[in-house]
Amino acid sequence: MTHLTTHVLDATAGTPAAGVSVTLAHLDGATIDSAATDADGRLALGPDVLDDGDYALTFATGAYFRGRGVASFHPVATVAFTVSGDAHLHVPLLLSPFAYSTYRGS
């Protein structure tokens, strides 16, 4: 199982956000992996295990909404987090054109 997963939900449409580009990087900026969410808004990123440290997921929210003809405020949403140990990490993103929220999922 991949160490890190995400799930992006479009709160405005009430559907999974398919095709959102996501980049996983060290907090210092070195990119580790990037891909796009699947039809269910889900994505697994990175190696099987991430070393302890600080990381960021950057979601291309502006491009996602532009592709749907919807004006938005945030061109990207970046979620920084700390890895400690080898537990699976799930970082969901609830998205709208003018706001987003996240939490540590399970």
Side-chain angles (χ1 to χ4, degrees):
M1 172 186 284
T2 302
H3 190 65
L4 177 69
T5 57
T6 188
H7 188 200
V8 183
L9 298 172
D10 183 334
T12 304
T15 61
V20 176
S21 295
V22 183
T23 300
L24 170 64
H26 292 279
L27 206 51
D28 67 9
T31 297
I32 299 167
D33 197 5
S34 62
T37 56
D38 66 13
D40 194 35
R42 296 182 184 275
L43 178 61
L45 282 170
D48 289 341
V49 176
L50 290 169
D51 293 332
D52 288 357
D54 297 328
Y55 295 86
L57 283 174
T58 300
F59 300 84
T61 55
Y64 168 77
F65 283 116
R66 273 192 307 278
R68 282 145 188 77
V70 175
S72 66
F73 182 69
H74 299 284
V76 297
T78 299
V79 178
F81 57 95
T82 300
V83 172
S84 178
D86 61 358
H88 173 78
L89 298 174
H90 184 65
V91 183
L93 185 72
L94 183 60
L95 184 60
S96 78
F98 302 102
Y100 63 89
S101 65
T102 187
Y103 56 92
R104 181 176 178 165
S106 57

